Amino acid sequence: MKLLRVGNLGAEKVAVLHNNKIRDLSDHLKDLNPDTINDNTFEYLKKVDFHKLKELNPNQRIGSCVSAPVDFLAIGLNYKEHVEGSNSKLPTEPILFNKSSGCIQGPNDEIKKPKNAQKLDYECEVAIVIGRKAKNVSANDAQNYVFGYCIVNDISERAWQKERGGQWIKGKSI
Protein backbone atom coordinates (compact mmCIF):
# COMPACT_ATOMS: atom_id res chain seq x y z
CA MET A 1 0.00 0.00 0.00
CA LYS A 2 1.53 3.29 -1.12
CA LEU A 3 0.02 6.22 0.76
CA LEU A 4 0.71 9.86 0.01
CA ARG A 5 -0.57 13.34 0.69
CA VAL A 6 -1.41 15.51 -2.33
CA GLY A 7 -2.59 19.07 -2.86
CA ASN A 8 -1.58 22.62 -2.07
CA LEU A 9 0.67 23.26 0.92
CA GLY A 10 -1.42 23.07 4.08
CA ALA A 11 -4.42 21.62 2.25
CA GLU A 12 -3.11 18.18 1.32
CA LYS A 13 -5.47 15.21 1.23
CA VAL A 14 -4.62 11.57 1.79
CA ALA A 15 -4.37 9.46 -1.34
CA VAL A 16 -3.19 6.03 -2.38
CA LEU A 17 -1.12 5.09 -5.41
CA HIS A 18 -3.01 2.13 -6.85
CA ASN A 19 -2.39 0.60 -10.28
CA ASN A 20 -0.32 3.67 -11.22
CA LYS A 21 -3.22 6.00 -10.42
CA ILE A 22 -3.50 8.42 -7.52
CA ARG A 23 -6.82 7.82 -5.80
CA ASP A 24 -8.56 9.95 -3.18
CA LEU A 25 -8.64 8.42 0.32
CA SER A 26 -9.84 11.57 2.09
CA ASP A 27 -13.35 10.17 2.71
CA HIS A 28 -11.69 7.38 4.70
CA LEU A 29 -8.75 9.16 6.32
CA LYS A 30 -8.38 12.89 6.97
CA ASP A 31 -4.58 12.99 7.31
CA LEU A 32 -1.43 10.98 7.90
CA ASN A 33 -0.17 12.23 11.25
CA PRO A 34 0.84 10.83 14.65
CA ASP A 35 -2.83 10.26 15.52
CA THR A 36 -3.61 8.22 12.41
CA ILE A 37 -0.38 6.37 11.73
CA ASN A 38 -1.12 3.16 13.58
CA ASP A 39 -2.20 -0.45 13.25
CA ASN A 40 -5.92 0.40 13.35
CA THR A 41 -5.61 2.73 10.37
CA PHE A 42 -3.57 0.19 8.43
CA GLU A 43 -6.11 -2.58 9.09
CA TYR A 44 -8.99 -0.26 8.13
CA LEU A 45 -7.32 0.78 4.87
CA LYS A 46 -6.71 -2.85 3.88
CA LYS A 47 -10.52 -3.22 3.67
CA VAL A 48 -11.06 -0.21 1.37
CA ASP A 49 -11.73 -1.04 -2.30
CA PHE A 50 -9.23 1.28 -3.98
CA HIS A 51 -10.78 0.68 -7.43
CA LYS A 52 -13.90 2.57 -6.29
CA LEU A 53 -12.01 5.67 -5.16
CA LYS A 54 -12.03 8.86 -7.23
CA GLU A 55 -8.97 9.25 -9.42
CA LEU A 56 -7.00 12.43 -8.74
CA ASN A 57 -4.96 14.60 -11.08
CA PRO A 58 -1.49 13.00 -11.27
CA ASN A 59 0.13 16.42 -11.86
CA GLN A 60 -0.81 17.99 -8.55
CA ARG A 61 1.74 18.68 -5.84
CA ILE A 62 2.83 15.80 -3.62
CA GLY A 63 3.25 16.88 -0.02
CA SER A 64 5.28 15.41 2.80
CA CYS A 65 4.18 11.88 3.59
CA VAL A 66 3.42 12.75 7.24
CA SER A 67 2.03 15.97 8.70
CA ALA A 68 2.93 17.31 12.13
CA PRO A 69 5.36 14.59 13.19
CA VAL A 70 6.34 14.57 16.84
CA ASP A 71 10.00 13.83 16.16
CA PHE A 72 12.33 13.57 13.21
CA LEU A 73 15.32 11.58 14.42
CA ALA A 74 18.29 10.69 12.26
CA ILE A 75 21.54 8.75 12.33
CA GLY A 76 24.62 10.47 10.96
CA LEU A 77 27.52 8.86 9.13
CA ASN A 78 25.46 5.70 8.80
CA TYR A 79 27.37 3.99 6.01
CA LYS A 80 31.05 3.51 5.29
CA GLU A 81 31.18 5.18 1.85
CA HIS A 82 29.69 8.37 3.30
CA VAL A 83 32.21 8.40 6.14
CA GLU A 84 35.07 8.00 3.67
CA GLY A 85 33.62 10.51 1.17
CA SER A 86 33.22 13.17 3.83
CA ASN A 87 36.72 12.60 5.27
CA SER A 88 35.13 11.80 8.61
CA LYS A 89 36.13 9.35 11.28
CA LEU A 90 34.12 6.11 11.48
CA PRO A 91 32.03 6.49 14.66
CA THR A 92 32.17 3.79 17.33
CA GLU A 93 28.62 4.67 18.44
CA PRO A 94 25.69 5.89 16.30
CA ILE A 95 25.59 9.65 15.81
CA LEU A 96 22.02 10.63 16.64
CA PHE A 97 20.52 14.02 15.86
CA ASN A 98 17.16 15.71 15.41
CA LYS A 99 15.88 17.59 12.43
CA SER A 100 13.29 20.27 13.04
CA SER A 101 9.87 19.08 11.88
CA GLY A 102 9.52 22.51 10.25
CA CYS A 103 11.98 21.44 7.55
CA ILE A 104 9.67 18.70 6.27
CA GLN A 105 8.21 19.38 2.84
CA GLY A 106 7.10 17.64 -0.34
CA PRO A 107 9.58 15.89 -2.63
CA ASN A 108 9.32 18.48 -5.41
CA ASP A 109 8.93 21.59 -3.26
CA GLU A 110 11.53 24.30 -3.72
CA ILE A 111 14.42 24.12 -1.26
CA LYS A 112 14.71 27.51 0.37
CA LYS A 113 18.36 28.37 0.83
CA PRO A 114 18.86 30.04 4.22
CA LYS A 115 20.40 33.50 4.29
CA ASN A 116 24.20 33.27 4.59
CA ALA A 117 24.28 29.54 3.74
CA GLN A 118 27.58 28.77 2.02
CA LYS A 119 27.89 24.97 1.91
CA LEU A 120 24.43 23.63 1.17
CA ASP A 121 24.55 19.87 0.62
CA TYR A 122 22.02 17.11 0.11
CA GLU A 123 21.73 13.36 0.46
CA CYS A 124 18.96 10.94 -0.42
CA GLU A 125 17.97 8.82 2.57
CA VAL A 126 15.44 6.13 3.41
CA ALA A 127 13.20 7.07 6.32
CA ILE A 128 11.28 4.76 8.60
CA VAL A 129 7.84 5.88 9.80
CA ILE A 130 7.16 4.39 13.23
CA GLY A 131 3.53 3.45 13.80
CA ARG A 132 3.51 2.23 17.40
CA LYS A 133 4.86 3.52 20.67
CA ALA A 134 8.14 1.80 21.37
CA LYS A 135 10.75 1.60 24.06
CA ASN A 136 13.46 -1.01 24.64
CA VAL A 137 12.44 -2.94 21.52
CA SER A 138 14.62 -5.89 20.56
CA ALA A 139 16.17 -6.01 17.09
CA ASN A 140 14.09 -9.11 16.34
CA ASP A 141 10.85 -7.27 17.15
CA ALA A 142 11.69 -3.86 15.62
CA GLN A 143 9.95 -4.44 12.28
CA ASN A 144 6.62 -4.84 14.13
CA TYR A 145 6.77 -1.11 14.97
CA VAL A 146 7.27 0.14 11.41
CA PHE A 147 4.24 1.71 9.70
CA GLY A 148 6.05 2.39 6.44
CA TYR A 149 9.01 3.83 4.58
CA CYS A 150 9.63 6.94 2.53
CA ILE A 151 12.44 8.72 0.74
CA VAL A 152 13.89 11.84 2.36
CA ASN A 153 15.89 14.67 0.82
CA ASP A 154 18.33 15.34 3.67
CA ILE A 155 19.41 18.94 3.15
CA SER A 156 22.30 20.22 5.26
CA GLU A 157 24.27 23.43 5.62
CA ARG A 158 27.69 21.89 6.23
CA ALA A 159 29.44 25.06 7.43
CA TRP A 160 26.85 25.50 10.20
CA GLN A 161 27.00 21.81 11.03
CA LYS A 162 30.76 21.27 11.05
CA GLU A 163 32.54 24.60 11.37
CA ARG A 164 30.56 26.40 14.04
CA GLY A 165 30.71 23.85 16.88
CA GLY A 166 27.90 22.44 18.95
CA GLN A 167 25.07 20.21 17.85
CA TRP A 168 24.26 19.23 14.28
CA ILE A 169 20.64 20.39 14.39
CA LYS A 170 21.43 23.94 13.27
CA GLY A 171 22.91 22.62 10.02
CA LYS A 172 20.43 19.79 9.56
CA SER A 173 17.05 21.56 9.86
CA ILE A 174 17.13 23.34 6.52
Side-chain angles (χ1 to χ4, degrees):
M1 184 179 315
K2 296 179 181 178
L3 303 175
L4 59 158
R5 297 171 64 250
V6 297
N8 293 331
L9 182 64
E12 296 92 346
K13 62 171 66 174
V14 181
V16 62
L17 183 61
H18 180 69
N19 291 338
N20 293 318
K21 296 180 184 200
I22 298 175
R23 297 186 180 273
D24 189 350
L25 263 175
S26 63
D27 286 342
H28 298 276
L29 185 61
K30 293 303 173 202
D31 204 356
L32 289 170
N33 59 43
D35 292 330
T36 62
I37 295 175
N38 57 51
D39 293 337
N40 292 337
T41 297
F42 185 72
E43 291 302 317
Y44 171 76
L45 291 176
K46 287 195 316 189
K47 298 173 187 171
V48 174
D49 185 353
F50 298 147
H51 290 97
K52 294 181 179 179
L53 299 175
K54 176 184 163 192
E55 189 175 331
L56 297 173
N57 179 348
N59 297 318
Q60 66 183 313
R61 175 185 171 272
I62 298 173
S64 63
C65 64
V66 176
S67 70
V70 175
D71 287 309
F72 189 134
L73 306 174
I75 300 173
L77 300 175
N78 56 356
Y79 59 96
K80 186 178 178 190
E81 290 82 7
H82 180 55
V83 171
E84 292 169 351
S86 63
N87 294 319
S88 299
K89 183 179 173 185
L90 187 64
T92 57
E93 289 286 324
I95 297 173
L96 302 174
F97 62 92
N98 293 65
K99 289 181 77 77
S100 168
S101 60
C103 74
I104 296 173
Q105 60 186 51
N108 300 310
D109 291 347
E110 181 181 345
I111 296 168
K112 296 178 181 106
K113 183 179 176 181
K115 184 179 178 181
N116 301 323
Q118 297 174 4
K119 295 183 179 179
L120 212 57
D121 190 14
Y122 65 92
E123 300 170 82
C124 181
E125 303 280 0
V126 175
I128 300 169
V129 179
I130 305 298
R132 294 168 65 196
K133 289 185 179 185
K135 188 172 184 176
N136 301 320
V137 176
S138 71
N140 290 337
D141 200 29
Q143 191 63 38
N144 294 324
Y145 292 81
V146 174
F147 184 81
Y149 300 89
C150 64
I151 301 299
V152 173
N153 294 323
D154 181 8
I155 310 299
S156 302
E157 207 310 317
R158 298 295 186 196
W160 298 354
Q161 175 188 346
K162 293 183 172 191
E163 298 170 14
R164 294 175 61 182
Q167 298 296 316
W168 281 17
I169 192 169
K170 63 186 167 195
K172 300 294 280 182
S173 294
I174 306 302

